[in-house]
Amino acid sequence: MSSEAEPDLREALLAAVPGLRAFAISLAGQVDRADDLVQDTLLRALSNLHRFEQGTNLNAWLFTILRNLFHSEYRKRRREIEDPDGSYVGRLKVHPAQGVHLDFEDFRSALAELPDDQREALLLIGASGFSYEEAAQICGCAVGTIKSRVNRARQRLAGMLKVDDVEDLGPDSMTRAALQG
Amino acid sequence: MTVDKGNKLARVVHDSSSGRKLATDPKLDSSSQKRIGDQLRAMYDELMQQPVPDRFKELLDQLEKKNGGKGAAQ
């Protein structure tokens, strides 16, 4: 690794931040916590750069780090607050940081109700643009497991958001209400 | 003995060509699936467009300064 590579690396890492943040916010449900996750991810990546294979997918590598940090922190918290059945986590809603405006409240709440494994699979496939193979690598599971999680996530979301019942669904219920009013 | 529910192999098969629904893996119809996908991407796009907080730029600037001129740090 040469010093000449550093500015490129800085640009590459910086370019990855919006995607990492979007994933972290959707995963953790809280902007502040998500930003801590992203920061820890960047620090971890920088101190483990020697493990990154040049020419492979930097984004997938960063997402793997973030995802693992999220899960180890989640397990730690769950032990700390003695929440073996995850009921505390089930009550987590999105709390935007001050000054950060978040839309799609209905969708976001429904997303927060999904089990972690289904939510992360859906986010990686449906939003972050990873292939099933990449998502399986990031989550450390089989491709078939990812497919099945994504399917179940979509089903549950459809049930919660009742997309089956609504003919002309807008971006969210507020839009729908506005159109009807 | 029924193996319908527990047959994981059946789930691995990506059923994209046939429109038939497998009893073991009920799928959403394509329009519902599209709506979920559209909402997810719209929500995500909004998050992607948030400005990058300064803390991350500063963090990466520090890296550059620290390694400036010498690449042997790590």
Side-chain angles (χ1 to χ4, degrees):
Chain A
M1 208 180 316
S2 72
S3 58
E4 281 75 34
E6 298 293 354
D8 285 347
L9 181 68
R10 181 188 178 278
E11 290 310 309
L13 289 172
L14 205 52
V17 167
L20 287 169
R21 281 191 87 221
F23 182 58
I25 292 169
S26 309
L27 209 57
Q30 291 163 290
V31 176
D32 290 345
R33 201 178 148 206
D35 279 344
D36 288 344
L37 265 176
V38 173
Q39 172 141 355
D40 290 346
T41 300
L42 293 175
L43 290 171
R44 183 75 60 101
L46 291 171
S47 58
N48 286 283
L49 270 181
H50 55 285
R51 293 199 199 166
F52 175 68
E53 294 171 46
Q54 293 287 332
T56 61
N57 192 332
L58 178 69
N59 245 348
W61 186 62
L62 293 170
F63 272 66
T64 308
I65 296 173
L66 190 146
R67 186 245 172 215
N68 289 341
L69 283 171
F70 173 73
H71 282 280
S72 56
E73 188 199 332
Y74 165 82
R75 278 194 294 269
K76 201 170 134 229
R77 282 189 184 208
R78 201 154 105 166
R79 273 203 305 275
E80 278 167 4
I81 58 177
E82 291 181 3
D83 183 36
D85 62 353
S87 58
Y88 165 77
V89 174
R91 290 198 302 274
L92 279 181
K93 293 284 186 251
V94 179
H95 303 290
Q98 214 174 7
V100 179
H101 175 69
L102 299 177
D103 281 329
F104 306 98
E105 205 174 312
D106 288 354
F107 190 84
R108 219 178 286 277
S109 307
L111 198 64
E113 299 284 333
L114 292 178
D116 280 343
D117 59 348
Q118 291 180 23
R119 184 166 60 247
E120 71 185 7
L122 181 71
L123 289 167
L124 291 171
I125 296 297
S128 300
F130 288 109
S131 68
Y132 282 97
E133 286 73 17
E134 287 167 333
Q137 262 192 334
I138 290 170
C139 297
C141 66
V143 173
T145 307
I146 292 291
K147 288 183 178 173
S148 143
R149 285 174 185 170
V150 171
N151 280 338
R152 277 182 284 152
R154 283 179 178 145
Q155 300 246 353
R156 286 182 72 145
L157 281 181
M160 282 188 272
L161 297 166
K162 299 195 171 50
V163 289
D164 290 329
D165 302 344
V166 185
E167 280 299 308
D168 52 347
L169 189 71
D172 59 25
S173 66
M174 280 173 65
T175 310
R176 231 154 54 223
L179 288 171
Q180 280 159 6
Chain B
M1 188 168 87
T2 56
V3 291
D4 286 3
K5 287 281 177 189
N7 189 348
K8 286 183 180 169
L9 286 175
R11 290 166 187 265
V12 177
V13 176
H14 194 46
D15 186 29
S16 58
S17 54
S18 121
R20 269 169 231 187
K21 293 182 181 178
L22 289 172
T24 48
D25 191 11
K27 282 207 161 76
L28 287 175
D29 62 274
S30 56
S31 71
S32 297
Q33 195 162 316
K34 185 178 180 301
R35 280 173 184 160
I36 295 283
D38 288 348
Q39 287 206 62
L40 179 62
R41 276 187 296 275
M43 179 207 82
Y44 218 70
D45 282 349
E46 191 199 51
L47 291 178
M48 296 281 292
Q49 278 157 25
Q50 306 259 344
V52 172
D54 289 340
R55 65 194 269 196
F56 299 127
K57 289 178 188 157
E58 287 160 11
L59 181 78
L60 295 170
D61 284 342
Q62 279 172 7
L63 157 89
E64 219 172 28
K65 268 181 224 151
K66 205 168 80 180
N67 291 355
K70 296 193 175 183
Q74 273 293 344

